[in-house]
Amino acid sequence: LGGAALLGVGIWVVVDGESFFKIFGAISTSVLQVVNVSYFLIVIGAILLIIGFLGCCGAQKESKCLLMLFFTVVLIIFIAEIAAAVVALVYTGVAETLLTATVTPLLKDKFGKEPSLTQIWNVTMKELHCCGLNNYTDLTDSPWLTKYHSYPAPCCSGKEPLCSSSLLPCFLQGCFDQLLTEIRKNSGVVGGVAAGIAALEIASMVVAMYLYCRLDEK
């Protein structure tokens, strides 16, 4: 069910991303800006659907092989999540540097050329009142600037005409600090969801192993 829900959300973002961002606010555009969030959700949803099918089918058919396969896959995912959480806590500074080094060239190469990325960043900049990741120079030489000969409207504090290089004082600060603030503001919710997912994974592994052992008794 969780996999189906994620798959549905991923398809929703692909078909009508703007309405999704309007409903869920700025934080929805703050998550995983480096990747295409819609296709990421579709892939994760499909994987969860397959894993869930393995567990249900193994229980229904009383297949030890499928139950053990389900247990192993969930265990690997659980260990990977723990490792990712530890790395994120220990190497926060490195992660921020890596994010900056990855997103900045992405904006210069794809902003204004890749529709989904352009839409995500335009909504992000509008909602958070910022421009680029570090500042407006992240969008310099981007396909958007080449095409329209101006910076995006969200970069200019509502001033008219649209931002040009002669109006540098009107540019807002970069989105990086605002994104971190939004993420930290919602860290409690994220932590609660993560704890719930971890508990569900542990419960599913316990049930799978219990059924596996009961089959041995039979």
Side-chain angles (χ1 to χ4, degrees), residues 21-58:
F21 299 137
K22 285 180 179 178
I23 292 174
F24 290 96
I27 187 60
S28 65
T29 67
S30 306
V31 180
L32 299 175
Q33 295 278 1
V34 181
V35 299
N36 191 315
V37 66
S38 56
Y39 295 110
F40 177 83
L41 289 175
I42 289 173
V43 170
I44 295 299
I47 291 173
L48 288 177
L49 266 178
I50 294 171
I51 295 172
F53 176 78
L54 284 176
C56 290
C57 190

Side-chain angles (χ1 to χ4, degrees), residues 6-82:
L6 284 179
L7 188 62
V9 170
I11 295 172
W12 177 15
V13 175
V14 170
V15 174
D16 189 14
E18 189 172 351
S19 66
F20 177 83
F21 299 137
K22 285 180 179 178
I23 292 174
F24 290 96
I27 187 60
S28 65
T29 67
S30 306
V31 180
L32 299 175
Q33 295 278 1
V34 181
V35 299
N36 191 315
V37 66
S38 56
Y39 295 110
F40 177 83
L41 289 175
I42 289 173
V43 170
I44 295 299
I47 291 173
L48 288 177
L49 266 178
I50 294 171
I51 295 172
F53 176 78
L54 284 176
C56 290
C57 190
Q60 177 67 27
K61 301 294 184 182
E62 296 186 343
S63 170
K64 292 177 65 176
C65 180
L66 288 178
L67 286 173
M68 183 52 66
L69 181 59
F70 172 78
F71 176 86
T72 303
V73 172
V74 175
L75 179 62
I76 291 172
I77 293 174
F78 181 75
I79 293 173
E81 289 170 348
I82 296 297

